[in-house]
Amino acid sequence: MIKKRLLLATTNRGKVREIKKILRGLGFKIESLAEYPEFGTFKERGKTFEENSRGKSLFYSQKYPGLVLAEDSGLEVEALCGKPGVRSARFAGPKATDNQNISKLLRLLRYIPPEKRQARFVCVATLTQNGRLIKSFKGQVRGKIIATPLGRNGFGYDPVFYYPPLRKTFAQLTAEEKNNISHRGRALRKLRKFLEKSWK
Ligand code: ITT
């Protein structure tokens, strides 16, 4: 039997790891952009996660014969009026590393007291096929930015994103624990339900 194909349209290995776990068992052959360097790179120019997520997914779905799932995500910090937001990946510069982004964030927050360090992660995941939009799904999670990175798991801003109900940063959680509560886990479980119900 030929398996249904689904492209995870991302170059971020942390995202691929987490999303593959959530979509396990649906019967799709799941691929990522690492296998399709010839597809090129989508330039994110949108002002919202929704816009970038849709744009990214539609861009790759014109090249791939199957379902395409792209997601745009990021961190919004209240004391910084929502920054880094859609610029989370390139906050400290176009090719910034996770450490450089975290350093910039902590520098900007250095005079902000603990009680004013609220933040949220947001994820918008979009399904497309043959250049057509199917549906977008959103998830978010609230936490606080701590002054000293803690933990070695996850990626991006996880070491400084503290989740009060578990008294841990996201980088101190296992992949399963993070998926249970994260913005990505929440958006992707909605998407999974949609696929189970409407995509036979
Ligand atoms: P693709 O566009 O190829 O998917 P990207 O990393 O550039 O990869 P985004 O433009 O969506 O993806 O930027 C997301 C950034 O937001 C990511 O690089 C992290 O810096 C941050 N981020 C998103 N989700 C996160 C998470 O679960 N944990 C930590 N940081 C996260």
Side-chain angles (χ1 to χ4, degrees), residues 9-13 15 18 33 41-42 44 49 52 56 60 70-75 84-90 98 101 121-123 154-159 161 170 178 182-184:
T10 179
T11 51
N12 181 320
R13 280 181 289 162
K15 288 186 184 181
E18 293 177 13
L33 287 181
T41 309
F42 172 73
E44 290 183 16
F49 296 112
N52 283 334
K56 219 186 293 189
Y60 292 106
E71 68 101 284
D72 200 50
S73 50
L75 179 72
V86 290
R87 298 187 45 81
S88 292
R90 42 197 183 333
D98 289 344
N101 284 332
F121 273 129
V122 180
C123 169
F155 67 94
Y157 299 89
D158 282 342
F161 188 85
F170 268 16
K178 181 180 168 188
S182 76
H183 51 316
R184 184 165 300 103

Side-chain angles (χ1 to χ4, degrees), residues 7 24 28 41-42 59 64 67 71-72 80 88 106 108-109 129 131 170 175 178-179 181 183-184 191 196 199:
L7 176 72
R24 202 179 274 162
F28 283 97
T41 309
F42 172 73
F59 175 83
Y64 182 78
L67 272 181
E71 68 101 284
D72 200 50
L80 300 178
S88 292
L106 295 184
L108 293 176
L109 291 176
Q129 192 172 38
F170 268 16
K178 181 180 168 188
N179 269 343
I181 52 173
H183 51 316
R184 184 165 300 103
L191 184 148
E196 283 170 339
W199 217 260

Side-chain angles (χ1 to χ4, degrees), residues 3-119:
K3 271 192 164 180
K4 299 173 284 181
R5 300 171 77 180
L6 186 148
L7 176 72
L8 295 184
T10 179
T11 51
N12 181 320
R13 280 181 289 162
K15 288 186 184 181
V16 172
R17 244 189 347 259
E18 293 177 13
I19 296 173
K20 275 190 170 168
K21 274 193 198 307
I22 300 172
L23 299 184
R24 202 179 274 162
L26 280 177
F28 283 97
K29 176 180 186 218
I30 298 181
E31 303 178 287
S32 85
L33 287 181
E35 287 122 280
Y36 293 95
E38 69 274 20
F39 284 1
T41 309
F42 172 73
K43 267 225 168 297
E44 290 183 16
R45 294 203 176 88
K47 289 198 167 60
T48 63
F49 296 112
E50 283 81 1
E51 225 179 300
N52 283 334
S53 173
R54 232 180 294 135
K56 219 186 293 189
S57 197
L58 285 168
F59 175 83
Y60 292 106
S61 80
Q62 280 156 5
K63 305 165 189 262
Y64 182 78
L67 272 181
V68 174
L69 192 178
E71 68 101 284
D72 200 50
S73 50
L75 179 72
E76 293 184 337
V77 179
E78 255 183 54
L80 300 178
C81 305
K83 282 185 185 160
V86 290
R87 298 187 45 81
S88 292
R90 42 197 183 333
F91 194 36
K95 292 214 165 117
T97 62
D98 289 344
N99 282 339
Q100 288 168 337
N101 284 332
I102 288 177
S103 296
K104 177 168 180 185
L105 179 70
L106 295 184
R107 203 167 55 242
L108 293 176
L109 291 176
R110 66 194 181 282
Y111 300 123
I112 307 290
E115 70 276 10
K116 294 207 173 129
R117 286 172 162 253
Q118 287 88 349

Side-chain angles (χ1 to χ4, degrees), residues 118-172:
Q118 287 88 349
R120 65 173 185 169
F121 273 129
V122 180
C123 169
V124 177
T126 302
L127 274 177
T128 54
Q129 192 172 38
N130 301 327
R132 289 217 200 101
L133 176 70
I134 300 173
K135 203 169 162 61
S136 290
F137 305 83
K138 187 169 183 172
Q140 59 172 303
V141 59
R142 290 180 189 284
K144 289 183 138 199
I145 304 302
I146 53 165
T148 310
L150 277 180
R152 304 177 68 96
N153 301 333
F155 67 94
Y157 299 89
D158 282 342
V160 290
F161 188 85
Y162 180 79
Y163 185 66
L166 294 182
R167 296 188 184 178
K168 284 182 179 171
T169 68
F170 268 16
Q172 293 177 300

Side-chain angles (χ1 to χ4, degrees), residues 180-197:
N180 278 338
I181 52 173
S182 76
H183 51 316
R184 184 165 300 103
R186 287 176 178 157
L188 269 290
R189 277 191 295 279
K190 290 181 198 169
L191 184 148
R192 182 183 171 113
K193 273 200 186 121
F194 172 82
L195 286 174
E196 283 170 339
K197 234 174 109 184

